[in-house]
């Protein structure tokens, strides 16, 4: 675990959410308290305008026509690519537009894994990560088995703080390890894993793949600082539209990548020997892109810059601490691994818990009836029968949430606890 100052149990400062809240139309005329931003964030006016604008003004395809509507869209898409590259500390040819994080992780499995993994190679992964960071590697193993290659999927543990167990990873890295898959910010536990403790200890031939679905747009992410070879981002979790994501592919891995979606506009060449890969990032793209989604991502990046990731991080930490403080005295409430067990005041806007006497689904339903929109269930974690993997209620905040909302939520949970225990 990274070092941190001891908890002072003081109330951290929080931003006045009112100005930010006005940017999100869905929150303007509702009494509901939206606490499910880990599933998808609310959309600011600028993002909605970007989607509507594409469909209502100069609708065309990009990367094909030579008329002004088409060429201007091509330039706008490449400008968003450059903006995203700057946002994560990458080069523009390392930014691939995808259909989302799930698509990005599957692209790594199919474009890189099928080509580079040999019989006996191993992938280290956490079975307690999101299914999208588990199932692609399982499917890859099945596909390679059909070609007569057997690869190993080596699970590593998660500690009580919800972080990847670095000592366990270090102990399981072997001469056959080719990939380490890790969740940057865990979607249930709300814990940050950077693999910082392993810097300089890993063979450069081992690729490191970060799932940044939850961290992107919530806190600063620098792929160079992470020493990532691959990283995925979900546009809809960073104020953008659903169906658009980003895959970061480090330059040193480009020669190892086969075309992922060969077809129109995929940068693939055909000669007598077959298909030849073209330049990046077109090699990993193909067909008509999600043009309105990419334009919306550009608008989302502008909004994130206007608010500031440091501001968002500070606000979420304050809300997380307020939530933990309010829930801790509730009888029968148990926190899942995460910031509730940290020795310092930390938090990234995600807290999950269970309550004795009522199922997570029933509790989520009751809270929904009271106007609190939370996620309840297994949260897309594959069933492993591990402690902490049981169904739970997850609260996830963002810049548009307030202390008052958190206080009303914790009061409601306490009231429900009294009723189910009586």
């Amino acid at each position: 675990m990274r070092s941190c100052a001891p908890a002072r149990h003081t109330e951290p400062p929080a931003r006045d959410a009112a100005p930010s809240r006005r940017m999100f139309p869905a929150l303007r005329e509702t009494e509901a308290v939206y606490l499910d931003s880990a599933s998808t964030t609310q959309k600011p006016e600028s993002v909605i305008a970007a989607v509507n604008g594409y469909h209502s003004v100069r609708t065309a395809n990009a990367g094909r026509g030579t008329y002004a509507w088409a060429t201007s869209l091509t330039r706008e898409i490449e400008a968003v690519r450059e903006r995203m590259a700057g946002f994560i500390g990458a080069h523009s040819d390392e930014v691939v537009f995808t259909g989302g994080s799930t698509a990005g992780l599957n692209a790594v499995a199919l474009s890189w894994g099928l080509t580079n993994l040999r019989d006996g190679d191993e992938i280290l992964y956490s079975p307690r990560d999101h299914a999208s960071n588990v199932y692609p590697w399982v499917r890859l193993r099945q596909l390679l088995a059909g070609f007569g290659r057997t690869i190993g999927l080596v699970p590593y543990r998660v500690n009580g703080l919800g972080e990847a167990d670095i000592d366990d990873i270090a102990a399981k890295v072997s001469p056959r390890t080719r990939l380490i898959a890790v969740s940057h910010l865990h979607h249930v536990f709300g814990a940050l894993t950077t693999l910082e403790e392993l810097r300089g200890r890993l063979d450069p031939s081992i690729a490191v793949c970060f799932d940044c679905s939850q961290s992107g747009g919530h806190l600063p992410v620098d792929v160079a600082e992470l020493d990532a070879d691959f990283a995925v981002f979900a546009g809809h979790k960073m104020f953008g539209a659903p169906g658009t994501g980003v895959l970061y592919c480090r330059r040193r891995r480009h020669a190892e990548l086969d075309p992922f979606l060969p077809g129109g506009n995929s940068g693939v060449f055909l000669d007598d020997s077959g298909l030849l890969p073209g330049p990046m990032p077109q090699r990993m793209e193909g067909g008509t892109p999600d043009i309105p989604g990419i334009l919306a991502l550009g608008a989302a990046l502008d909004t994130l810059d206007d608010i500031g990731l440091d501001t968002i991080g500070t606000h979420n930490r304050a809300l997380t601490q307020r939530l933990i403080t309010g829930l801790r005295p509730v009888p029968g409430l148990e926190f899942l691994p995460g910031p509730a067990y940290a020795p310092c005041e930390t938090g990234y806007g995600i807290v999950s818990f269970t309550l004795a006497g009522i199922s997570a689904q029933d509790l989520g339903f009751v809270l929904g009836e009271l106007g609190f929109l939370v996620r309840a269930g297994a949260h897309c974690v594959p069933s492993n029968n591990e402690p902490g993997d049981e169904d739970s209620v997850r609260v996830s905040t963002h810049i548009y949430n307030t202390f008052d909302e958190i206080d009303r939520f914790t009061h409601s949970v306490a009231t429900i606890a009294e009723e189910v225990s009586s």
Side-chain angles (χ1 to χ4, degrees):
M1 178 191 168
R2 293 164 306 282
S3 60
C4 58
R8 299 182 304 277
H9 303 295
T10 58
E11 183 178 281
R15 172 191 173 99
D16 177 10
S20 298
R21 194 181 186 90
R22 288 193 289 271
M23 300 167 61
F24 301 89
L27 299 178
R28 290 175 188 164
E29 304 296 334
T30 181
E31 296 297 320
V33 177
Y34 187 75
L35 295 171
D36 196 21
S37 290
S39 289
T40 196
T41 54
Q42 295 297 305
K43 315 307 173 192
E45 192 76 70
S46 60
V47 166
I48 298 169
V51 174
N52 290 339
Y54 169 75
H55 289 297
S56 59
V57 180
R58 293 187 303 163
T59 302
N61 212 332
R64 289 158 174 80
T66 56
Y67 54 92
W69 287 14
T71 56
S72 64
L73 280 172
T74 301
R75 289 193 298 271
E76 288 179 53
I77 288 175
E78 291 311 307
V80 176
R81 194 189 306 275
E82 292 179 8
R83 287 275 289 106
M84 186 68 195
F87 190 74
I88 62 175
H91 303 284
S92 59
D93 65 343
E94 297 174 317
V95 172
V96 176
F97 291 124
T98 69
S101 290
T102 300
L105 290 164
N106 276 278
V108 175
L110 298 178
S111 179
W112 179 84
L114 281 179
T115 303
N116 291 276
L117 296 185
R118 299 291 177 259
D119 192 54
D121 285 347
E122 296 174 344
I123 294 175
L124 269 60
Y125 79 108
S126 170
R128 301 174 77 180
D129 275 355
H130 194 285
S132 294
N133 202 21
V134 176
Y135 292 162
W137 319 123
V138 175
R139 179 170 180 252
L140 175 61
R141 179 176 61 182
Q142 293 172 329
L143 289 172
L144 288 172
F147 295 110
R149 283 178 274 170
T150 300
I151 66 168
L153 298 183
V154 181
Y156 59 80
R157 294 191 300 262
V158 172
N159 62 27
L161 302 180
E163 303 168 348
D165 189 321
I166 300 299
D167 291 336
D168 193 45
I169 292 176
K172 290 177 176 175
V173 169
S174 78
R176 300 311 304 267
T177 302
R178 292 293 176 265
L179 176 73
I180 300 175
V182 63
S183 174
H184 187 213
L185 180 60
H186 199 277
H187 71 294
V188 180
F189 304 144
L192 192 69
T193 297
T194 64
L195 300 186
E196 178 183 357
E197 299 88 340
L198 295 178
R199 303 280 164 75
R201 297 166 57 187
L202 295 176
D203 188 315
S205 66
I206 299 174
V208 179
C209 179
F210 279 93
D211 180 358
C212 298
S213 302
Q214 298 297 340
S215 54
H218 291 75
L219 63 148
V221 178
D222 187 316
V223 291
E225 186 176 304
L226 288 175
D227 202 20
D229 292 285
F230 305 106
V232 297
F233 300 83
H236 73 103
K237 296 179 190 287
M238 46 195 295
F239 296 159
T244 306
V246 166
L247 166 63
Y248 160 77
C249 298
R250 192 171 185 171
R251 278 181 173 174
R252 73 177 185 182
R253 299 292 177 185
H254 286 185
E256 302 171 4
L257 297 170
D258 264 5
F260 175 53
L261 291 172
N265 252 36
S266 60
V268 176
F269 302 96
L270 180 64
D271 68 4
D272 293 339
S273 64
L275 294 178
L276 300 176
M280 287 288 287
Q282 289 78 16
R283 185 187 312 174
M284 297 291 287
E285 299 174 347
T288 298
D290 181 2
I291 299 173
I294 294 172
L295 299 178
L297 178 62
L301 293 174
D302 289 340
T303 300
L304 289 167
D305 275 351
D306 289 343
I307 298 173
L309 288 177
D310 289 335
T311 298
I312 293 172
T314 299
H315 187 74
N316 273 329
R317 184 169 62 252
L319 294 176
T320 302
Q321 286 298 310
R322 183 70 160 242
L323 178 64
I324 292 171
T325 300
L327 291 177
R328 201 180 294 280
V330 176
L333 188 142
E334 293 289 339
F335 291 106
L336 268 62
Y341 300 99
C344 57
E345 291 179 339
T346 187
Y348 303 94
I350 298 176
V351 175
S352 300
F353 64 90
T354 61
L355 185 63
I358 185 171
S359 71
Q361 288 82 357
D362 286 346
L363 178 55
F365 175 80
V366 173
L367 288 167
E369 291 295 290
L370 295 173
F372 299 101
L373 312 184
V374 296
R375 176 80 177 268
H379 314 297
C380 297
V381 175
S383 178
N384 298 297
N385 297 316
E386 294 279 348
D389 288 342
E390 63 270 18
D391 289 356
S392 62
V393 168
R394 182 186 67 189
V395 178
S396 49
T397 64
H398 216 299
I399 194 67
Y400 34 67
N401 294 120
T402 67
F403 271 160
D404 176 66
E405 290 177 337
I406 296 300
D407 291 344
R408 287 190 283 126
F409 174 80
T410 55
H411 176 75
S412 294
V413 173
T415 301
I416 295 169
E418 290 178 7
E419 292 176 354
V420 298
S421 64
S422 60

